[in-house]
Amino acid sequence: MILKAKERGDGPQLARYLLAMRDNDHVELHDVRGFASDDLLGAFHEADAIASGTRCRKHLFSMSLNPPAGENVSIEAFEQAISQIEEKLGLENQPRAVVFHEKDGRRHAHVVWSRIDPERMRALNMAHYKVKLRDVSQQLCREHGWDMPRGFEDRSLRDPLNFTRAEWQQARRAGLDPKQLKALFQKCWKQSASGAAFENALKERGFTLARGDRRGFVAVDYRGEIYSLTRLTGTKTKEVAARVGDPQKLPSADEARAAMAAQMTEQLQSFIKDAEREAERGLRVLIFRRSEMTGRHRHERQALKEAHEERWLTETKERAARLPRGFSGIWHRITGRYGRIRNQNEHEAWQATLRDRAERESLIVRQLDERRALQQEISGQREQQQADLLMLRQDITRYHDMAAPERERQDNKPEREGRSRSGRRRRTRSPRME
């Protein structure tokens, strides 16, 4: 299980993010503990108010728990993992909130603790929390029999295709998958022995090597999007400079943008839009199926929740009817029978709670399996879409290369015509001079 955490403030903004349905199929507020309010926004407003009495600005400790892909992890397993984390970090008695997200057929959890000790009005010190969370993550992998992430075994084996949020947003604007985009740049870098080869490899894939304003080397695509070479290739600026050379010899990012924009004729822009629409067409059907499935799953969960509430109310009335009242109740208390009935009711109520939770968990697991199968189709279609868009970039490059000689001939044509006219005038004057 991957555990990611950070210290932060601005509780209301975090609450709105955790409850947002835009990027998630399902969002569930599972638990709120240690706050006067039982809703997430009110609880985090309360945490901000308490922290205002201290000097701590990052008074919240926010963490996500991501199980391995394809694993159906129960609520109990998540709760046990959270308890282990609290014990490891010393957060057992701190106010907290737990939110579950489901997306793309996977369920993960977000846990947020308040770092402020309300009795001493001081923030808990979270020293070395990354190392401690790594130890807990390794322990969870061993307990559940999950494959250990390679980065836990050796830090040098961490996934080189991991991307930041900024890189994800940039790839999304370009219509590309961030991992695929990063893999493309790293492939060009590894297969190129010289700067010219690297520049040609990028050019064949629709990117122009340029000089950045703040970074030494960047790449520009036909959309005008600027990409950092050091981030995408996983290298340092010195390594890029050693292979590519002086960045001052390259066009600036603005010049590369202007050159790409000048080459984008109306016919080529129309061709690009048609190709992008064609790439999107196959995905729209699957997106509609996903929307329909999400709505149906939400309806099923709501229906099950209402059925559980109705059954719970009926069973509660039946258990309450067992308790004698009046003088009979006093006699049953004296004889101890009242206590035995009450204990029986408490046991049955707890068993009913476990039964309802098991039924809900069974429904969620079935829905996750169904959603995961659809996600595989969506992923396959997106891979094809990515391949089409990357092929489009190569087509644009080839079009530019074929069109360049023709543009050069058109640019030189007036000059050649001027020279030929000048030559004819000289020939007509020469007889007179003789």
Side-chain angles (χ1 to χ4, degrees):
M1 182 177 289
I2 304 298
L3 307 177
K4 295 183 179 181
K6 67 176 181 178
E7 300 171 1
R8 58 160 297 162
D10 196 357
Q13 189 276 335
L14 178 59
R16 288 189 291 270
Y17 165 75
L18 292 178
L19 296 177
M21 297 291 293
R22 182 182 60 184
D23 296 327
N24 299 291
D25 297 335
H26 304 277
V27 174
E28 176 192 357
L29 177 59
H30 177 69
D31 180 40
V32 177
R33 180 193 74 186
F35 295 101
S37 176
D38 57 356
D39 69 274
L40 194 63
L41 188 59
F44 285 1
H45 271 299
E46 181 182 338
D48 278 8
I50 294 174
S52 64
T54 69
R55 295 181 179 180
C56 182
R57 294 184 178 180
K58 297 182 178 180
H59 58 279
L60 298 175
F61 188 70
S62 175
M63 187 180 65
S64 63
L65 296 83
N66 293 279
E71 296 289 343
N72 288 322
V73 182
S74 65
I75 297 293
E76 289 78 8
F78 274 109
E79 291 175 338
Q80 292 172 5
I82 293 171
S83 297
Q84 291 176 252
I85 293 166
E86 288 183 334
E87 183 179 357
K88 190 75 172 180
L89 300 181
L91 295 168
E92 295 98 327
N93 300 317
Q94 291 302 113
R96 79 167 189 211
V98 181
V99 179
F100 283 104
H101 285 178
E102 292 179 34
K103 179 181 179 181
D104 299 341
R106 298 182 62 184
R107 176 167 58 179
H108 63 276
H110 291 269
V111 190
V112 182
W113 290 271
S114 171
R115 294 178 53 218
I116 305 301
D117 183 348
E119 295 182 359
R120 299 185 300 166
M121 289 301 291
R122 295 180 60 183
L124 298 182
N125 184 15
M126 307 301 298
H128 310 295
Y129 69 84
K130 292 184 179 181
V131 176
K132 296 176 182 178
L133 289 179
R134 184 191 61 195
D135 295 340
V136 174
S137 183
Q138 292 174 337
Q139 181 180 351
L140 291 172
C141 289
R142 288 191 293 266
E143 290 176 357
H144 294 277
W146 297 328
D147 292 334
M148 193 80 68
R150 298 177 64 194
F152 287 168
E153 302 172 6
D154 185 351
R155 291 180 64 85
S156 64
L157 298 178
R158 289 180 297 179
D159 187 359
L161 300 181
N162 285 338
F163 49 87
T164 64
R165 182 173 179 82
E167 291 170 346
W168 173 77
Q169 291 174 335
Q170 185 179 48
R172 189 176 183 182
R173 289 195 300 269
L176 297 173
D177 179 81
K179 277 200 171 185
Q180 201 166 2
L181 181 64
K182 208 163 191 177
L184 183 148
F185 274 82
Q186 292 184 7
K187 182 179 179 181
C188 292
W189 177 258
K190 292 177 181 178
Q191 293 180 348
S192 303
S194 64
F198 180 55
E199 185 174 1
N200 289 332
L202 289 178
K203 185 178 179 182
E204 289 176 358
R205 291 161 176 82
F207 298 93
T208 299
L209 193 61
R211 180 183 74 252
D213 296 332
R214 290 177 297 175
R215 294 176 288 271
F217 300 91
V218 297
V220 182
D221 66 1
Y222 70 90
R223 291 175 175 269
E225 199 68 45
I226 299 176
Y227 304 86
S228 169
L229 287 185
T230 53
R231 288 181 181 176
L232 292 176
T233 59
T235 57
K236 296 181 179 180
T237 304
K238 290 183 179 179
E239 298 178 52
V240 180
R243 182 176 300 184
V244 177
D246 186 4
Q248 297 301 322
K249 296 180 180 179
L250 297 174
S252 67
D254 291 338
E255 291 171 347
R257 272 179 169 176
M260 294 290 282
Q263 296 173 352
M264 298 297 289
T265 63
E266 293 184 5
Q267 181 180 2
L268 184 57
Q269 290 177 357
S270 176
F271 168 69
I272 292 172
K273 291 179 181 179
D274 291 342
E276 290 178 344
R277 280 196 295 266
E278 185 66 25
E280 286 282 348
R281 189 171 301 166
L283 190 60
R284 289 176 184 171
V285 176
L286 295 176
I287 297 300
F288 176 79
R289 286 176 56 191
R290 183 184 67 182
S291 177
E292 184 275 333
M293 181 181 293
T294 300
R296 175 165 51 83
H297 286 176
R298 291 176 183 173
H299 178 74
E300 291 175 355
R301 295 189 188 190
Q302 182 62 28
L304 182 64
K305 179 182 178 181
E306 294 174 357
H308 282 171
E309 291 175 350
E310 184 177 353
R311 184 171 62 184
W312 177 264
L313 183 59
T314 301
E315 293 175 346
T316 301
K317 290 181 179 179
E318 292 176 355
R319 288 191 290 268
R322 297 174 186 169
L323 295 173
R325 296 179 178 82
F327 289 105
S328 177
I330 297 175
W331 175 250
H332 281 76
R333 288 177 183 271
I334 294 174
T335 60
R337 186 179 177 186
Y338 187 93
R340 290 194 294 272
I341 295 175
R342 186 181 62 184
N343 291 337
Q344 178 186 354
N345 286 350
E346 291 176 354
H347 176 73
E348 291 181 359
W350 175 243
Q351 293 300 317
T353 300
L354 295 180
R355 177 202 61 202
D356 292 349
R357 175 179 283 193
E359 290 180 0
R360 188 175 187 278
E361 185 69 15
S362 176
L363 174 64
I364 291 176
V365 169
R366 178 180 62 79
Q367 290 181 347
L368 284 173
D369 289 339
E370 184 181 4
R371 178 67 177 84
R372 195 175 295 122
L374 177 61
Q375 187 61 33
Q376 291 178 353
E377 295 184 47
I378 294 176
S379 299
Q381 182 64 36
R382 279 180 173 160
E383 289 178 2
Q384 182 61 48
Q385 180 188 25
Q386 296 300 304
D388 293 342
L389 290 176
L390 290 175
M391 185 65 70
L392 171 63
R393 292 172 179 269
Q394 296 179 13
D395 291 342
I396 293 172
T397 302
R398 286 194 291 267
Y399 175 85
H400 287 159
D401 293 341
M402 290 186 297
E406 179 63 26
R407 288 195 300 268
E408 186 177 354
R409 284 195 297 270
Q410 293 295 330
D411 293 340
N412 294 334
K413 186 176 179 181
E415 183 180 353
R416 290 197 302 269
E417 290 179 350
R419 287 200 300 268
S420 63
R421 286 195 299 268
S422 176
R424 285 196 299 270
R425 285 195 297 269
R426 283 195 296 270
R427 283 194 297 269
T428 55
R429 286 196 299 267
S430 56
R432 297 178 185 176
M433 293 176 63
E434 293 176 353

